[in-house]
Amino acid sequence: MNDALKLRPESDPPKDVFEETPWQVLVVDDDEEVHRITELALSDFVYANRRLEFINAYSGAEARKKLQENPGIALILLDVVMESDDAGLRFAQFVRQEMANSFIRIILRTGQPGMAPERHVLTVYDINDYRAKTELTQDRLYTVVYTALSSYRDMMALARSRQQLVGVVEELETLSEVTSRTFRQALKTLVTDTQNIYYELEGQVSPTHHHELQEILELSRELFRKVDDLARYTSSGRYNELRVPVDLMTVVDDVRLDLRESIEEMNAEIFCDELPVVMGSRRQLYQVFYNLVSNSLRFRGDQAPRISIQAQKDMDLWRFKVSDNGIGISEQDKQNAFSLFRRDSSTDVPSSSGIGLNICRKIVRWHGGTIDIQGVAGEGTCIEFTLPLIS
């Protein structure tokens, strides 16, 4: 029997649970003791399997340099009074305004609350929390830092998701634009060639073949109209257009001018309230009013069109109504009024693809509003939509 002692092979050493990159915390205070106590109080702090890495600055000027050297800083513990009575506040202003960084969480810790009134500081300097040094026990400091890092992580995750979504939307818009343009050109050629063949063979083929050619021509024209509508739809309401103050009175004036010939021909009247200035894309908002007014002209009744444009402030938004005395809309057609390529159920209603109202909905939604349609068959139509108040 072999009694030799056998040693068990050593197992691999356990992996460090905290191998993730630590959270960078910038401590800004002219009192070295505050730095020491802060690090001691948070020495065992862990959030999302990440410890803390402390970066120390003893003045507002030094803090600026540290922040620029360490772009990964997630949290700033900031004193107010350092080289000057408002050095901390000036540094906070530098972070939010000059660096335009709204992600970093800033916790103000002051030993002299009277030097920086809490309500004023929170609103003017975009501070995330305000604490007197005397009230920050170890447990309270732990809670404040935990909450701040949780908020920072969530904001960064949202920013990444938004960036990814923007990339997807850009790719889809590019693909849609290229596809619609390519198909539009191909169908335009098809319509032209079919039309030429139709007229060249007119009188040379049997009535049956002539009828078949006519159907092919109409189908190709219909397909071209749909692709043309899609091209217009994809080019409207682009998410990344610059938002600027838009005077809606001038927008409606431009719509009147562009539709002047139809307005005069139909003896139409347009009554318009004093419209506000809103934030948005002027090109897109013009398209909304143009589509709605032109629809009122198109779907007119036996009498001259009377179109009313109203605006009313309602809480934190503007509520607009574009109403007319036209042929109205049935209950059935209300349900799919904003659908692409819809067809009105009433034979008395001119053929419509529905692209105009769908574009309006897309643009209004992009601006943060809603849109709805009201009306009764034979008694006119009212389109109501909202836009946020100018901020």
Side-chain angles (χ1 to χ4, degrees):
M1 182 175 180
N2 187 357
D3 293 328
L5 181 64
K6 295 183 178 180
L7 299 177
R8 186 177 62 184
E10 292 186 5
S11 59
D12 293 335
K15 291 186 176 181
D16 187 355
V17 178
F18 311 114
E19 60 184 12
E20 295 282 346
T21 304
W23 301 102
Q24 290 187 327
V25 178
L26 176 61
V27 183
V28 187
D29 200 297
D30 60 351
D31 187 343
E32 189 169 348
E33 185 70 8
V34 171
H35 289 263
R36 189 185 68 81
I37 293 174
T38 300
E39 293 188 26
L40 182 62
L42 298 171
S43 59
D44 62 344
F45 182 95
V46 176
Y47 175 68
N49 289 335
R50 297 169 65 178
R51 293 188 180 275
L52 301 181
E53 174 188 343
F54 294 97
I55 301 171
N56 300 298
Y58 298 87
S59 67
E62 185 180 4
R64 294 189 182 203
K65 182 179 179 182
K66 296 284 187 180
L67 182 59
Q68 291 170 329
E69 292 173 349
N70 299 274
I73 290 173
L75 171 63
I76 299 173
L77 299 174
L78 178 63
D79 188 17
V80 176
V81 181
M82 291 179 287
E83 69 266 36
S84 65
D85 289 346
D86 63 347
L89 298 180
R90 288 183 178 276
F91 174 64
Q93 194 172 39
F94 167 77
V95 175
R96 298 303 194 213
Q97 296 183 9
E98 293 188 38
M99 294 196 71
N101 191 323
S102 60
F103 297 107
I104 294 179
R105 304 293 85 190
I106 301 177
I107 299 174
L108 202 65
R109 299 188 300 177
T110 179
Q112 305 175 54
M115 298 297 294
E118 182 175 352
R119 184 177 300 179
H120 174 77
V121 167
L122 289 173
T123 55
V124 174
Y125 295 94
D126 193 14
I127 302 296
N128 303 111
D129 206 346
Y130 183 106
R131 301 282 174 164
K133 290 180 180 178
T134 53
E135 72 169 298
L136 274 180
T137 63
Q138 183 175 8
D139 287 342
R140 286 189 178 178
L141 180 60
Y142 190 101
T143 300
V144 166
V145 172
Y146 189 97
T147 303
L149 290 179
S150 176
S151 175
Y152 175 82
R153 184 188 68 168
D154 291 345
M155 290 181 64
M156 294 300 292
L158 284 173
R160 286 193 295 270
S161 297
R162 183 184 183 280
Q163 189 173 14
Q164 292 169 354
L165 183 60
V166 166
V168 171
V169 171
E170 285 182 341
E171 290 179 4
L172 288 174
E173 285 192 341
T174 301
L175 178 62
S176 176
E177 183 180 354
V178 171
T179 302
S180 61
R181 186 172 61 244
T182 302
F183 275 95
R184 186 179 184 278
Q185 184 58 47
L187 285 170
K188 186 177 181 180
T189 302
L190 175 63
V191 170
T192 301
D193 292 346
T194 305
Q195 187 171 277
N196 290 338
I197 293 173
Y198 174 79
Y199 289 119
E200 285 179 7
L201 297 180
E202 190 174 13
Q204 302 180 30
V205 295
S206 67
T208 300
H209 289 155
H210 182 269
H211 179 69
E212 290 174 349
L213 277 174
Q214 189 175 28
E215 285 186 340
I216 293 172
L217 179 58
E218 289 304 317
L219 284 172
S220 63
R221 285 173 175 171
E222 177 66 12
L223 190 56
F224 175 77
R225 282 193 292 268
K226 287 185 176 181
V227 171
D228 191 51
D229 284 342
L230 280 176
R232 290 194 293 119
Y233 179 77
T234 56
S235 66
S236 67
R238 296 214 176 262
Y239 80 96
N240 56 351
E241 284 196 38
L242 182 65
R243 300 193 186 207
V244 298
V246 180
D247 184 350
L248 294 181
M249 286 302 301
T250 63
V251 170
V252 172
D253 287 342
D254 288 347
V255 171
R256 289 177 190 263
L257 184 62
D258 292 341
L259 292 173
R260 182 176 58 183
E261 185 175 334
S262 296
I263 292 172
E264 292 177 352
E265 179 183 340
M266 300 176 191
N267 196 28
E269 291 184 275
I270 300 178
F271 307 94
C272 186
D273 284 354
E274 187 68 28
L275 301 182
V277 174
V278 298
M279 290 296 295
S281 162
R282 193 182 194 284
R283 180 188 72 85
Q284 292 184 26
L285 291 173
Y286 166 87
Q287 189 68 57
V288 170
F289 283 96
Y290 182 91
N291 287 358
L292 297 182
V293 173
S294 60
N295 274 358
S296 293
L297 294 173
R298 180 182 180 190
F299 297 99
R300 63 190 182 279
D302 296 331
Q303 53 189 333
R306 299 292 180 267
I307 303 168
S308 172
I309 302 175
Q310 299 172 292
Q312 183 178 3
K313 189 182 294 185
D314 183 5
M315 301 292 288
D316 58 347
L317 52 81
W318 283 103
R319 192 174 298 279
F320 300 90
K321 291 182 179 180
V322 180
S323 52
D324 60 50
N325 62 340
I327 60 176
I329 184 169
S330 67
E331 288 298 323
Q332 179 181 347
D333 288 325
K334 284 181 189 177
Q335 298 176 9
N336 62 357
F338 296 96
S339 300
L340 283 172
F341 307 127
R342 67 179 173 85
R343 285 287 182 247
D344 299 290
S345 60
S346 172
T347 55
D348 297 330
V349 179
S351 177
S352 169
S353 68
I355 191 72
L357 285 180
N358 201 283
I359 287 175
C360 289
R361 182 175 64 175
K362 181 181 179 183
I363 292 173
V364 168
R365 283 179 173 177
W366 183 85
H367 282 80
T370 60
I371 188 168
D372 194 19
I373 185 169
Q374 301 295 331
V376 177
E379 298 183 16
T381 305
C382 176
I383 304 292
E384 183 174 322
F385 66 95
T386 62
L387 296 174
L389 285 173
I390 189 170
S391 56

